[in-house]
Amino acid sequence: MCTIGEAGQNGVCKQRPLICSILDPNAWFKPERLHPQVESLIYWRDVKKSGIVFGAGLIILVAISCFSVISVFAYLSLLALFGTVAFRIYKSVTQAVQKTNDGHPFKEYLDLDLTLSQEKVQHIAGVAVAHLNGFTAELRRLFLVEDLIDSIKFGVILWVFTYIGAWFNGMTLVILAFVSLFTLPKVYENNKQSIDTYLDLVRTKLTEITDKIRVAIPIGKKPVAAATESDKDK
């Protein structure tokens, strides 16, 4: 088990990436890795804009939890369409009365280039594949018990998830995740030092317990002699 310092600049423990990253906030909250607009929203750089996005998103998620996705999509689309049509008519009437020629009110948005370049698609696909491969390799390591202690920890996490699944349905978890997205990063940013201090204490205790278990149950390790011979053969 590594400490926050051992997690390094990448924020991921090289020895046990899954277990380490769960207790390492630096692996979760890295604003420099986010798109500037996304970082501005979830870290509330512009309170007004973040409040609008957070409120609108929360209302949509609550509506989806109460009604079908199709109904919510249809009503929201109708509302948006009604607003744009009404505004278009209003601007047309205003231009006719004032005898001005300001053009289409949405011309700025109509001229936006929404196409994805081939390079952008390849970059996104490459990042997705890299994360998928890492996730698959980590699951294989845990399920096939490469390290007994890590697999036991993973089992405990899964056991906790069974209770979470019994308490909350999927949509409730999505709403909680959305709220956490707009609250936890800012809370950690404002209280980074104290949170890291407490997490280091937890890490130290877990390391002590893990080391004691590894000494008592030396499973999943190569014998020193065998490991040395294997290294020589390579």
Side-chain angles (χ1 to χ4, degrees):
M1 181 71 66
C2 64
T3 62
I4 290 177
E6 290 173 337
Q9 296 179 350
N10 295 328
V12 179
C13 178
K14 293 182 179 180
Q15 295 178 342
R16 287 172 287 277
L18 180 63
I19 305 302
C20 180
S21 60
I22 290 176
L23 290 177
D24 183 10
N26 292 311
W28 295 84
F29 308 122
K30 300 189 71 174
E32 65 275 7
R33 296 177 60 182
L34 300 174
H35 189 281
Q37 293 182 352
V38 176
E39 186 266 343
S40 176
L41 283 176
I42 65 175
Y43 280 89
W44 296 79
R45 308 303 186 205
D46 187 337
V47 177
K48 182 179 179 180
K49 185 181 296 185
S50 296
I52 292 174
V53 174
F54 175 70
L58 187 60
I59 290 173
I60 292 174
L61 291 176
V62 172
I64 292 176
S65 67
C66 298
F67 308 98
S68 69
V69 177
I70 296 176
S71 297
V72 173
F73 174 77
Y75 279 115
L76 288 176
S77 300
L78 282 173
L79 183 62
L81 182 61
F82 176 79
T84 54
V85 170
F87 185 72
R88 178 74 170 87
I89 295 174
Y90 167 75
K91 293 296 290 184
S92 298
V93 173
T94 301
Q95 292 177 21
V97 171
Q98 297 178 353
K99 296 182 179 180
T100 58
N101 188 17
D102 296 333
H104 199 289
F106 300 117
K107 187 177 187 306
E108 178 184 356
Y109 301 101
L110 290 172
D111 293 339
L112 285 177
D113 185 12
L114 300 179
T115 58
L116 286 175
S117 64
Q118 185 176 0
E119 293 78 11
K120 185 67 173 178
V121 173
Q122 290 177 347
H123 173 71
I124 295 174
V127 172
V129 169
H131 282 82
L132 180 61
N133 289 338
F135 181 71
T136 303
E138 182 67 9
L139 288 181
R140 179 183 63 183
R141 188 182 73 86
L142 293 171
F143 277 109
L144 299 183
V145 199
E146 179 180 328
D147 187 295
L148 178 64
I149 305 302
D150 281 353
S151 295
I152 292 175
K153 292 177 184 176
F154 183 57
V156 173
I157 294 173
L158 294 178
W159 177 71
V160 172
F161 280 166
T162 62
Y163 283 92
I164 294 176
W167 294 335
F168 308 104
N169 59 31
M171 201 60 223
T172 303
L173 292 176
V174 171
I175 294 174
L176 291 175
F178 180 78
V179 173
S180 299
L181 179 65
F182 279 83
T183 54
L184 294 184
K186 190 63 178 180
V187 170
Y188 177 69
E189 184 181 54
N190 293 337
N191 304 276
K192 186 177 187 300
Q193 186 173 0
S194 58
I195 292 175
D196 285 349
T197 300
Y198 286 116
L199 285 179
D200 273 334
L201 292 175
V202 174
R203 285 169 173 275
T204 302
K205 293 297 181 183
L206 287 178
T207 301
E208 293 176 359
I209 295 173
T210 301
D211 291 341
K212 290 179 181 179
I213 295 176
R214 289 182 186 279
V215 171
I217 311 176
I219 301 177
K221 296 181 179 178
K222 289 182 179 180
V224 177
T228 304
E229 293 177 1
S230 177
D231 293 338
K232 290 181 179 179
D233 294 337
K234 293 180 180 179

